[in-house]
Amino acid sequence: MLKSVITAVTALSLATATPAAANGLDREDVGKLLIGLAAVAVIGSALENSDDSAATPVQHGNSWNGINRDNDWSRLNSNTQRSRRVLPADCLRRVETRFGVQRMYGQRCLERNYRHVNSLPERCEVRVYSSNGPRTGFDPVCLRERGFVSDRRN
């Protein structure tokens, strides 16, 4: 609607620009006319938008015996996906290497305490050499960037 009003105002301004002096209208009258048309267009679009929002009722979902039928399965699926991305905080280890302390989720701890170890991204897998030998696990920063969180309570 707004595009059509703008197009009409532009066409009117182009049409009235040349013959304005012949009809007895000067530039000031044409300017006032254009401002008036623009104001009418703005008020009309505001009324149109307010009528749309007032005519559309707010719907809070279809309830049946207290259960939201529309979103019930999607909510269950999203909770399952969310729980798959929560890692046990007990598996976060600090491993001392000759280059300093490295934080990582231990591979064996995750295998024992986290059901979805095979779904963790391979690119986050790290191997660190400590004084006790090589350690394998997952980089917590890399996992956090991919949406995994710790179940640690703050």
Side-chain angles (χ1 to χ4, degrees):
M1 151 97 187
L2 193 58
K3 279 188 174 183
S4 63
V5 170
I6 291 172
T7 306
V9 168
T10 306
L12 182 63
S13 68
L14 291 175
T16 60
T18 348
N23 290 338
L25 295 174
D26 59 349
R27 287 183 168 222
E28 186 178 335
D29 292 337
V30 172
K32 289 178 183 178
L33 181 66
L34 290 177
I35 290 174
L37 288 173
V40 168
V42 168
I43 292 171
S45 66
L47 289 174
E48 183 179 337
N49 289 340
S50 68
D51 288 343
D52 288 345
S53 62
T56 308
V58 177
Q59 191 172 10
H60 296 288
N62 299 332
S63 346
W64 178 66
N65 290 339
I67 299 173
N68 188 347
R69 290 183 289 166
D70 294 337
N71 299 325
D72 195 34
W73 291 106
S74 63
R75 192 172 352 107
L76 286 175
N77 190 24
S78 67
N79 287 342
T80 304
Q81 292 296 329
R82 192 174 305 128
S83 67
R84 290 184 82 169
R85 294 191 170 270
V86 177
L87 301 171
D90 295 337
C91 294
L92 186 60
R93 305 278 190 236
R94 295 171 51 96
V95 179
E96 289 189 37
T97 66
R98 62 180 173 161
F99 300 109
V101 176
Q102 174 76 35
R103 292 178 51 214
M104 62 188 284
Y105 283 98
Q107 176 79 31
R108 291 183 65 202
C109 180
L110 285 175
E111 287 173 356
R112 281 184 257 135
N113 298 310
Y114 181 66
R115 181 185 306 180
H116 309 288
V117 177
N118 295 332
S119 67
L120 292 175
E122 288 182 19
R123 71 180 343 168
C124 294
E125 194 168 349
V126 293
R127 186 174 183 134
V128 177
Y129 295 95
S130 69
S131 59
N132 295 332
R135 305 281 180 182
T136 58
F138 292 90
D139 182 23
V141 176
C142 179
L143 291 173
R144 190 176 317 117
E145 288 173 353
R146 280 151 185 79
F148 291 90
V149 294
S150 173
D151 67 352
R152 179 181 348 178
R153 294 186 181 134
N154 293 330

